Amino acid sequence: MKPTDFADELGEWLRGDGPESDIVMSSRIRLARNLGDFPFIKKCNDVHKASIESTVCEKVTSHSDLADTVFVKVNDLEELERQFLVERQLISREHSESSGARSVAIDKQEVFSLMINEEDHLRIQVMKSGLDLEKAWERVETIDNALEENIRFAFDSQLGYLTACPTNVGTGMRVSVMLHLPALVMTRQIEKVFRSLEKVNLAVRGLYGEGSQAMGEFYQISNQITLGKSETDLINDVSEIVPVIIGYERKAREYLINESQDDLHDKVSRAIGTLQNAHQISSEETMQLLSKVRLGVNLDLIHDVQLSTVNKLFLRTQPAHLQVLAGKKLSTTDRNVERANYLRRHLNSSQGKSDSGEDLFV
Amino acid sequence: MKCQKCEKPATFHITELTGDEVSALHYCAECADKYLKSDSDDEPVAEEVGTAITKHLKIDQTADELHRLDQKVCPVCGITFYEFRQSGRLGCPNDYEYFQEELNPLIMSIHGETNHVGRRPARGDDGMLMQQIEVIRLRKEMTEAVEREDYELASRIRDQIKQLEEELQ
Ligand SMILES: [Zn+2]
Ligand SMILES: [Zn+2]
């Protein structure tokens, strides 16, 4: 199976359902693990990397809990295919661009991915649509248990799981939730919200882009520390804060509806208008406009577009997806034209009918 | 607005919340690319760890002492302290023990704790780490033997590794 075979699917985190999915895009938990009998990646030679890869591959494929897994050798992929996996968040940018034997194991629903030879020997990642850290953790725990039956990880009784970077030592766990916060950005309250999180050891990261603010108004909240707290406590820290931020965003949305409905309606309508009519458009502009459309759909200002369509467009208008769907490599200029075509087709044809995803790229 | 790292116009704006401050990063496309690529998207940048440790050290270390510390080499994986300081990444599990004196203050400042209280391997962890580190050391010796074309020694070491691995299973 080729990784680009996933192109027809949407992937778990863009399904657009799950708790609080009007604001929470996805919940993700990631564990860093290292095989105890090999040096960390920095000091691995080619032989070491190849044996780590084959050891893990064998243990994973032979375990019944992990049977439904596709193994992809990242080192054998074309750049476009690697970029495609990065856009789907199945591998990290670093994993895509490093060198030597490395792979990723992905389950067919794209709920979990297991990066082999990334910054650490193993990165176990589980993603769920919406706010669902509990289910994500259940799955991570099952996978970690299954792997530990056959693999002895580097573990120190005082420091816990040993990782290549001391920032991950202990639990090796990073919990993150991706939030869509357009109303907090529009009402200029976003920084205030972040400041209120100061003391709780959480990191906030905006998606980058052109313009004066984070691209598409998406923000990721994650734990800063990995040592000295149990996995459950680290998850709780994030779980307790997210509903508070959701509450702020809902209040800001209410305010916009009540106090500046015309302005809001104008912004949203211009966004969908541009996307429905443009003949060339960059991925940054697309992200920003889709973000407004997403808000419009959630606030019932746009009726003829489904949330799942918006989510689908976020993914499929990204450079690698666009090229995979077009079936050829495209220059930046050609991509901007192709992207506009794709958007026009999908935002003008989906009127009134439900989007089942069968209208791929005809 | 100009890029924080060079003089080009800043087109990328990244919001970071670290510890007790919100910071906005403003980069040009090139510097943003470097910043984002050095980062696996939801965690601190490894290079920043290097910078942090250098800061820690400078407080009570003279240039001479720092120079001497930089030369310190882990006997198991061969990483120098300088290499770690530059990259923010360690070379093997033994480094946590070997560079303990320098690492502990860093770990304390990152996590505010030095004791793990989370999950532990279900099969127990008694003394495993020592044996595993011994295997890593042997792997390095084997590589060196192969490089010297001392294949007899290399094959003896390979048998040793195999035996230790079986005990570890
Ligand atoms: Zn710059
Ligand atoms: Zn070492």
Side-chain angles (χ1 to χ4, degrees):
Chain A
M1 177 165 184
K2 279 167 57 111
T4 46
D5 291 349
F6 284 111
D8 293 358
E9 312 294 329
L10 204 46
E12 165 70 21
W13 63 284
L14 281 169
R15 262 195 0 241
D17 55 10
E20 316 281 6
S21 55
D22 57 331
I23 292 172
V24 184
M25 290 289 278
S26 62
S27 307
R28 173 164 66 162
I29 297 182
R30 194 266 286 135
L31 290 186
R33 295 285 186 263
N34 288 279
L35 277 59
D37 53 353
F38 283 90
F40 295 144
I41 293 295
K42 191 173 171 50
K43 285 292 167 186
C44 274
N45 59 29
D46 292 346
V47 180
H48 295 152
K49 283 191 190 170
S51 21
I52 293 166
E53 188 183 47
S54 64
T55 306
V56 175
C57 179
E58 187 215 307
K59 309 287 186 201
V60 169
T61 43
S62 65
H63 200 286
S64 55
D65 285 359
L66 302 169
D68 194 22
T69 307
V70 182
F71 247 89
V72 179
K73 289 204 169 198
V74 176
N75 208 27
D76 296 345
L77 297 179
E78 302 279 329
E79 199 197 333
L80 184 62
E81 295 172 306
R82 295 202 307 269
Q83 186 57 34
F84 178 88
L85 293 177
V86 173
E87 287 174 4
R88 295 183 92 79
Q89 301 192 16
L90 292 169
I91 65 174
S92 64
R93 211 182 282 258
E94 172 169 341
H95 198 50
S96 163
E97 285 166 12
S98 66
S99 61
R102 61 201 195 283
S103 14
V104 60
I106 308 164
D107 76 316
K108 298 218 169 77
Q109 290 74 44
E110 295 181 57
V111 172
F112 89 79
S113 79
L114 194 69
M115 279 181 270
I116 301 155
N117 292 344
E118 204 241 23
E119 178 183 312
D120 293 293
H121 297 156
L122 274 174
R123 288 285 173 98
I124 306 162
Q125 170 184 285
V126 169
M127 273 211 273
K128 300 296 280 182
S129 188
L131 180 60
D132 205 352
L133 288 170
E134 211 173 298
K135 282 242 174 62
W137 172 240
E138 261 173 42
R139 190 70 191 274
V140 169
E141 225 180 354
T142 313
I143 298 167
D144 193 33
N145 283 335
L147 291 171
E148 221 152 36
E149 279 174 32
N150 293 311
I151 302 173
R152 293 224 184 246
F153 293 130
F155 183 86
D156 177 81
S157 54
Q158 191 212 319
L159 285 172
Y161 291 94
L162 302 180
T163 49
C165 188
T167 49
N168 295 318
V169 76
T171 56
M173 186 169 79
R174 201 69 60 187
V175 181
S176 47
V177 174
M178 176 81 84
L179 299 163
H180 185 220
L181 306 173
L184 284 173
V185 175
M186 281 183 211
T187 55
R188 300 176 194 279
Q189 292 184 89
I190 194 85
E191 300 254 308
K192 210 164 79 192
V193 171
F194 291 165
R195 248 171 235 128
S196 75
L197 302 183
E198 277 172 15
K199 296 283 179 281
V200 286
N201 274 320
L202 298 176
V204 182
R205 198 170 276 270
L207 286 188
Y208 60 97
E210 289 166 350
S212 59
Q213 56 205 22
M215 181 157 77
E217 294 129 348
F218 290 102
Y219 293 88
Q220 186 169 266
I221 305 225
S222 54
N223 59 308
Q224 294 258 80
I225 64 162
T226 56
L227 180 67
K229 281 192 174 196
S230 71
E231 288 82 358
T232 324
D233 284 345
L234 289 171
I235 292 167
N236 285 344
D237 286 349
V238 177
S239 301
E240 279 167 16
I241 274 303
V242 169
V244 177
I245 301 174
I246 292 174
Y248 291 147
E249 170 68 16
R250 287 202 203 291
K251 273 214 186 96
R253 288 181 183 191
E254 230 168 82
Y255 173 87
L256 287 173
I257 288 277
N258 294 330
E259 307 296 324
S260 57
Q261 166 118 39
D262 288 342
D263 190 37
L264 176 68
H265 212 151
D266 181 65
K267 279 203 178 88
V268 166
S269 305
R270 282 170 185 272
I272 184 101
T274 304
L275 291 170
Q276 276 170 338
N277 293 289
H279 280 254
Q280 45 188 353
I281 190 164
S282 70
S283 69
E284 287 81 8
E285 188 181 359
T286 305
M287 286 284 275
Q288 278 167 8
L289 297 177
L290 281 174
S291 174
K292 299 277 183 301
V293 170
R294 195 176 191 276
L295 178 66
V297 171
N298 281 324
L299 293 180
D300 259 339
L301 298 171
I302 296 174
H303 309 285
D304 47 17
V305 178
Q306 310 263 323
L307 190 59
S308 63
T309 304
V310 181
N311 285 349
K312 182 177 85 176
L313 293 175
F314 269 119
L315 182 66
R316 294 192 180 159
T317 54
Q318 290 185 47
H321 273 75
L322 209 60
Q323 294 173 76
V324 167
L325 293 171
K328 59 183 174 203
K329 284 196 176 170
L330 300 167
S331 68
T332 310
T333 319
D334 290 344
R335 282 206 299 274
N336 290 348
V337 172
E338 179 68 25
R339 182 176 295 114
N341 287 340
Y342 190 84
L343 286 163
R344 284 204 312 280
R345 226 157 40 219
H346 288 262
L347 288 170
N348 293 314
S349 69
S350 64
Q351 286 179 3
K353 69 175 187 201
S354 82
D355 191 279
S356 52
E358 85 284 3
D359 52 338
L360 262 183
F361 50 98
V362 270
Chain B
M1 187 179 285
K2 281 184 181 165
C3 170
Q4 283 171 241
K5 295 215 165 162
C6 64
E7 288 289 283
K8 281 179 245 164
T11 49
F12 285 75
H13 307 271
I14 303 158
T15 313
E16 288 269 18
L17 185 81
T18 43
D20 47 9
E21 64 181 42
V22 184
S23 56
L25 302 171
H26 307 282
Y27 292 142
C28 69
E30 207 177 295
C31 295
D33 201 44
K34 255 184 242 158
Y35 171 83
L36 292 157
K37 279 177 181 168
S38 61
D39 181 11
S40 37
D41 73 285
D42 60 352
E43 55 189 64
V45 184
E47 282 74 10
E48 283 172 6
V49 175
T51 317
I53 189 150
T54 310
K55 261 188 218 154
H56 264 284
L57 293 168
K58 271 188 188 146
I59 301 166
D60 49 354
Q61 231 106 6
T62 64
D64 260 11
E65 283 172 324
L66 184 62
H67 184 72
R68 219 171 309 128
L69 182 58
D70 275 349
Q71 314 292 311
K72 213 171 153 184
V73 184
C74 165
V76 176
C77 71
I79 197 172
T80 62
F81 189 73
Y82 179 77
E83 269 181 275
F84 166 61
R85 212 154 62 75
Q86 287 296 302
S87 66
R89 310 239 164 118
L90 295 162
C92 82
N94 187 55
D95 301 353
Y96 280 98
E97 164 93 36
Y98 191 70
F99 298 118
Q100 194 177 34
E101 233 175 277
E102 293 76 33
L103 269 180
N104 276 356
L106 177 73
I107 288 173
M108 193 62 195
S109 96
I110 297 170
H111 302 285
E113 280 288 342
T114 52
N115 283 305
H116 174 62
V117 295
R119 274 169 75 78
R120 291 177 169 267
R123 289 192 287 169
D125 52 79
D126 292 344
M128 284 301 162
L129 194 58
M130 297 289 285
Q131 283 192 64
Q132 288 171 323
I133 287 170
E134 178 59 12
V135 175
I136 301 174
R137 201 184 58 75
L138 288 171
R139 285 189 205 283
K140 181 157 154 278
E141 268 182 24
M142 189 170 89
T143 309
E144 285 161 0
V146 171
E147 275 163 9
R148 286 195 310 269
E149 299 184 13
D150 189 345
Y151 299 113
E152 205 183 308
L153 178 63
S155 101
R156 245 184 296 142
I157 299 174
R158 195 185 44 226
D159 292 343
Q160 247 180 302
I161 293 175
K162 218 171 173 188
Q163 199 193 328
L164 268 175
E165 294 270 71
E166 269 160 28
E167 286 170 30
L168 278 166
Q169 265 317 299

